[in-house]
Amino acid sequence: MFRNIRFYRFDGSWPASEEKLSESLEKAGFKPCGPLTERSSGWVAVDKDTSDSLARRVNGADLFRLRSQSRVLPHSVVNEELEARIEAYRERMQEAPSPREKRRLKAEARDELMPKAMRKSDRIWGYVDLAESILCIDAAQDAAAERFVRRLQASVDGLNIRPLQYMQPVEELLSGIFF
């Protein structure tokens, strides 16, 4: 289930029960991208088959999941549309558009193409070890982990989250264990 774990330490009050945590996460529940929205993220149910709860508490650990959705609009598509608009401008005005006009045409093309763009979703798992006050996030990229942390801080009031600091470098620890 978890392949790229990032560890964080947290301070502050964590919800006392699974139900309270689920209620806190509902404040930032997932809503799909609108026609002009580039990115949307929010909390989704841990297991849609068994319940709609946004959190699951098992053996002193809380499990939850963030879903992010973004619109995929390749630059090449925007640039192709921009070229067509620049050509139409040249024919209409009998001159090349100024840099300012090119930016306006590009923004206009992007705004028209955005509702037609495909949507791509990704889901990030996280869990909290309550006894150790540690948050674990399954994210390969820093940006995804930061998005998860920001959403969690917005959902649970008074939560301070910072990367876990090790007493010795992880490479030394792993070398000592495996070699």
Side-chain angles (χ1 to χ4, degrees), residues 12-76:
S13 61
W14 188 257
S17 68
E18 180 180 317
E19 292 78 23
K20 293 279 188 195
L21 177 58
S22 189
E23 287 173 16
S24 295
L25 297 177
E26 281 179 20
K27 293 185 233 174
F30 176 74
K31 292 178 184 64
C33 284
L36 297 176
T37 309
E38 262 188 79
R39 176 176 288 280
S40 175
S41 63
W43 305 106
V44 292
V46 174
D47 185 11
K48 206 71 157 149
D49 295 335
T50 58
S51 82
D52 287 338
S53 178
L54 299 181
R56 183 83 194 270
R57 184 165 286 178
V58 179
N59 293 331
D62 287 332
L63 181 67
F64 39 95
R65 184 165 70 162
L66 181 74
R67 178 177 175 190
S68 295
Q69 188 177 70
S70 58
R71 293 219 174 247
V72 179
L73 184 59
H75 294 293
S76 60

Side-chain angles (χ1 to χ4, degrees), residues 69-130:
Q69 188 177 70
S70 58
R71 293 219 174 247
V72 179
L73 184 59
H75 294 293
S76 60
V77 172
V78 175
N79 290 338
E80 194 173 302
E81 180 65 23
L82 177 61
E83 286 176 19
R85 288 173 188 247
I86 289 173
E87 191 59 39
Y89 182 91
R90 281 190 182 126
E91 288 175 13
R92 190 175 62 245
M93 304 299 277
Q94 300 299 317
E95 65 180 28
S98 67
R100 178 183 229 174
E101 185 65 22
K102 282 183 183 177
R103 283 193 303 274
R104 188 189 69 74
L105 289 171
K106 187 173 186 176
E108 189 178 274
R110 184 171 171 70
D111 288 347
E112 284 182 24
L113 291 170
M114 188 60 74
K116 300 173 191 172
M118 292 175 32
R119 291 181 285 188
K120 177 183 136 195
S121 291
D122 62 327
R123 290 159 182 84
I124 303 169
W125 286 96
Y127 79 90
V128 167
D129 182 341
L130 298 170

